[in-house]
């Protein structure tokens, strides 16, 4: 919410809900960072159009194509076949994935913000033998790749 421009997303649906959640977050003070604070997120989901809620509820944790395994944060190299891994490993990832993943599946992932600089204000996905990390959002760039040729498409930088 705080570190990933969550309030911007919430305000895009309802500025009053964003203001209310900010008020609750401020009232929580340091406890927001050090404890478990329940914020009234239900206000956000009520403000969100039902087709958007259905879309989010219908998202899968991972997807396999003939060319790659796709998940938000990669997979656990020691976790067996990716489809059998925990949702936590696929969504939040493990540091071991970045440091030691060596296949056999080719994995396309995001989450890790490990883009590679390739010039002034230009960033490329992190390409390795068995993976492609697409997260360039920290640099204001949206990146996608086409399978099976892995051609990369990017928005303009900020």
């Amino acid at each position: 919410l705080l570190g990933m421009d969550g309030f911007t997303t919430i305000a895009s649906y309802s500025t009053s809900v964003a203001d209310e959640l900010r008020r609750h977050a401020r009232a929580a003070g340091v406890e927001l960072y050090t404890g478990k604070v329940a914020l009234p997120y239900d206000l956000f989901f009520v403000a969100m159009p039902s087709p958007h809620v259905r879309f989010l509820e219908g998202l899968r944790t991972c997807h396999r194509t003939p060319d790659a395994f796709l998940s938000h944060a990669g997979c656990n190299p020691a976790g067996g076949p990716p489809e059998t891994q925990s949702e936590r490993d696929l969504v939040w990832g493990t540091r071991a994935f970045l440091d030691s993943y060596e296949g056999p599946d080719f994995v396309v992932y995001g989450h890790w913000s490990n883009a590679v600089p390739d010039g002034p204000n230009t960033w490329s996905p992190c390409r390795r033998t068995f993976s492609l990390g697409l997260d360039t959002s920290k640099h204001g760039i949206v990146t996608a790749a086409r399978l099976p040729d892995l051609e990369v498409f990017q928005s303009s930088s900020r």
Side-chain angles (χ1 to χ4, degrees):
L1 179 66
L2 301 176
M4 300 181 123
D5 292 330
F7 286 117
T8 302
T9 300
I10 294 166
S12 74
Y13 287 98
S14 169
T15 55
S16 64
V17 169
D19 292 344
E20 182 70 9
L21 284 170
R22 276 191 193 96
R23 187 178 69 70
H24 281 272
R26 276 193 297 275
V30 72
E31 189 71 15
L32 186 64
Y33 299 95
T34 61
K36 291 187 177 186
V37 175
L39 296 176
Y41 289 114
D42 57 316
L43 298 173
F44 171 58
F45 292 107
V46 168
M48 186 184 287
S50 58
H52 293 205
V53 173
R54 282 194 306 277
F55 169 76
L56 292 172
E57 289 174 343
L59 291 175
R60 295 185 286 168
T61 305
C62 59
H63 180 73
R64 181 179 290 282
T65 74
D67 307 299
F69 179 81
L70 301 95
S71 73
H72 178 73
C75 61
N76 182 343
E83 288 90 350
T84 67
Q85 294 189 18
S86 72
E87 185 173 290
R88 182 176 185 2
D89 283 348
L90 298 175
V91 173
W92 295 106
T94 66
R95 180 58 59 184
F97 174 75
L98 294 180
D99 297 336
S100 63
Y101 182 73
E102 295 180 357
D105 297 293
F106 186 80
V107 177
V108 179
Y109 65 96
H111 179 73
W112 290 103
S113 192
N114 59 345
V116 178
D118 60 3
N121 297 321
T122 58
W123 297 85
S124 292
C126 180
R127 282 187 192 232
R128 295 200 174 137
T129 304
F130 293 101
S131 65
L132 178 64
L134 295 177
D135 186 359
T136 53
S137 61
K138 174 170 89 174
H139 308 288
I141 301 167
V142 176
T143 300
R146 181 177 61 204
L147 297 172
D149 65 352
L150 297 177
E151 183 173 350
V152 171
F153 301 90
Q154 293 185 302
S155 67
S156 299
S157 62
R158 300 181 216 199

